[in-house]
Short mmCIF file of all heavy atoms in Angstrom, two decimals:
data_model
loop_
_atom_site.label_atom_id
_atom_site.label_comp_id
_atom_site.label_asym_id
_atom_site.label_seq_id
_atom_site.Cartn_x
_atom_site.Cartn_y
_atom_site.Cartn_z
N ARG A 34 -25.50 122.50 108.78
CA ARG A 34 -25.24 121.62 109.92
C ARG A 34 -25.43 122.38 111.23
O ARG A 34 -26.02 121.86 112.17
CB ARG A 34 -23.81 121.07 109.82
CG ARG A 34 -23.36 120.20 110.97
CD ARG A 34 -24.08 118.87 111.02
NE ARG A 34 -23.68 118.08 112.17
CZ ARG A 34 -24.30 116.98 112.56
NH1 ARG A 34 -25.33 116.53 111.89
NH2 ARG A 34 -23.88 116.31 113.61
N PHE A 35 -24.94 123.61 111.23
CA PHE A 35 -25.05 124.45 112.42
C PHE A 35 -26.51 124.63 112.82
O PHE A 35 -26.88 124.46 113.98
CB PHE A 35 -24.40 125.80 112.13
CG PHE A 35 -24.36 126.76 113.28
CD1 PHE A 35 -23.36 126.69 114.23
CD2 PHE A 35 -25.33 127.74 113.41
CE1 PHE A 35 -23.32 127.57 115.28
CE2 PHE A 35 -25.30 128.63 114.47
CZ PHE A 35 -24.29 128.54 115.41
N THR A 36 -27.34 124.97 111.84
CA THR A 36 -28.75 125.20 112.17
C THR A 36 -29.45 123.92 112.58
O THR A 36 -30.36 123.94 113.40
CB THR A 36 -29.51 125.82 110.99
OG1 THR A 36 -29.12 125.12 109.82
CG2 THR A 36 -29.20 127.29 110.85
N SER A 37 -28.99 122.79 112.01
CA SER A 37 -29.66 121.55 112.43
C SER A 37 -29.25 121.16 113.84
O SER A 37 -29.98 120.46 114.53
CB SER A 37 -29.38 120.42 111.44
OG SER A 37 -28.06 119.98 111.59
N LEU A 38 -28.08 121.62 114.28
CA LEU A 38 -27.69 121.36 115.67
C LEU A 38 -28.43 122.32 116.62
O LEU A 38 -28.65 122.00 117.78
CB LEU A 38 -26.18 121.55 115.85
CG LEU A 38 -25.26 120.52 115.21
CD1 LEU A 38 -23.80 120.90 115.45
CD2 LEU A 38 -25.54 119.15 115.76
N ASP A 39 -28.79 123.48 116.09
CA ASP A 39 -29.40 124.53 116.90
C ASP A 39 -30.88 124.23 117.08
O ASP A 39 -31.73 124.69 116.32
CB ASP A 39 -29.19 125.87 116.18
CG ASP A 39 -29.81 127.02 116.94
OD1 ASP A 39 -30.12 126.84 118.13
OD2 ASP A 39 -29.99 128.07 116.31
N LYS A 40 -31.18 123.47 118.12
CA LYS A 40 -32.55 122.98 118.27
C LYS A 40 -33.54 124.10 118.65
O LYS A 40 -34.71 124.02 118.37
CB LYS A 40 -32.59 121.87 119.34
CG LYS A 40 -31.97 120.57 118.87
CD LYS A 40 -32.91 119.80 117.94
CE LYS A 40 -32.34 118.46 117.57
NZ LYS A 40 -31.28 118.51 116.56
N ASN A 41 -33.03 125.16 119.30
CA ASN A 41 -33.94 126.22 119.74
C ASN A 41 -34.11 127.32 118.71
O ASN A 41 -34.82 128.30 118.96
CB ASN A 41 -33.44 126.86 121.04
CG ASN A 41 -33.22 125.82 122.11
OD1 ASN A 41 -33.86 124.78 122.08
ND2 ASN A 41 -32.31 126.10 123.02
N ASP A 42 -33.43 127.18 117.58
CA ASP A 42 -33.51 128.20 116.52
C ASP A 42 -33.17 129.60 117.01
O ASP A 42 -33.87 130.56 116.69
CB ASP A 42 -34.93 128.21 115.90
CG ASP A 42 -35.03 127.15 114.84
OD1 ASP A 42 -33.99 126.87 114.20
OD2 ASP A 42 -36.11 126.60 114.66
N CYS A 43 -32.14 129.73 117.81
CA CYS A 43 -31.79 131.07 118.27
C CYS A 43 -30.49 131.56 117.66
O CYS A 43 -29.96 132.60 118.05
CB CYS A 43 -31.71 131.11 119.80
SG CYS A 43 -30.61 129.88 120.45
N GLY A 44 -29.97 130.84 116.70
CA GLY A 44 -28.77 131.32 116.00
C GLY A 44 -27.48 131.05 116.73
O GLY A 44 -26.41 131.39 116.24
N THR A 45 -27.54 130.48 117.90
CA THR A 45 -26.32 130.13 118.63
C THR A 45 -26.46 128.73 119.21
O THR A 45 -27.56 128.20 119.31
CB THR A 45 -26.05 131.11 119.79
OG1 THR A 45 -27.21 131.13 120.61
CG2 THR A 45 -25.70 132.48 119.29
N LEU A 46 -25.32 128.14 119.57
CA LEU A 46 -25.34 126.78 120.13
C LEU A 46 -24.96 126.82 121.60
O LEU A 46 -24.08 127.59 122.01
CB LEU A 46 -24.35 125.89 119.40
CG LEU A 46 -24.57 125.63 117.91
CD1 LEU A 46 -23.51 124.69 117.38
CD2 LEU A 46 -25.95 125.05 117.66
N SER A 47 -25.60 125.98 122.37
CA SER A 47 -25.21 125.83 123.77
C SER A 47 -24.47 124.51 123.94
O SER A 47 -24.41 123.71 123.01
CB SER A 47 -26.45 125.85 124.66
OG SER A 47 -27.21 124.69 124.39
N ARG A 48 -23.92 124.29 125.12
CA ARG A 48 -23.22 123.03 125.36
C ARG A 48 -24.15 121.83 125.17
O ARG A 48 -23.75 120.79 124.65
CB ARG A 48 -22.68 123.00 126.79
CG ARG A 48 -21.42 123.84 126.94
CD ARG A 48 -21.01 123.98 128.40
NE ARG A 48 -20.19 125.16 128.55
CZ ARG A 48 -18.86 125.13 128.51
NH1 ARG A 48 -18.22 124.01 128.35
NH2 ARG A 48 -18.18 126.25 128.62
N GLU A 49 -25.40 122.00 125.57
CA GLU A 49 -26.35 120.90 125.45
C GLU A 49 -26.57 120.53 123.98
O GLU A 49 -26.75 119.38 123.64
CB GLU A 49 -27.70 121.26 126.10
CG GLU A 49 -27.69 121.32 127.62
CD GLU A 49 -26.87 122.49 128.13
OE1 GLU A 49 -27.01 123.60 127.57
OE2 GLU A 49 -26.07 122.29 129.06
N ASP A 50 -26.57 121.57 123.13
CA ASP A 50 -26.76 121.29 121.71
C ASP A 50 -25.68 120.37 121.19
O ASP A 50 -25.94 119.46 120.41
CB ASP A 50 -26.74 122.60 120.91
CG ASP A 50 -28.01 123.40 121.09
OD1 ASP A 50 -29.06 122.77 121.26
OD2 ASP A 50 -27.94 124.64 121.10
#
Side-chain angles (χ1 to χ4, degrees):
Chain A
R34 176 69 183 169
F35 183 83
T36 44
S37 73
L38 290 178
D39 179 16
K40 288 282 185 284
N41 305 334
D42 276 329
C43 54
T45 54
L46 298 182
S47 67
R48 283 171 203 266
E49 289 69 44
D50 286 327

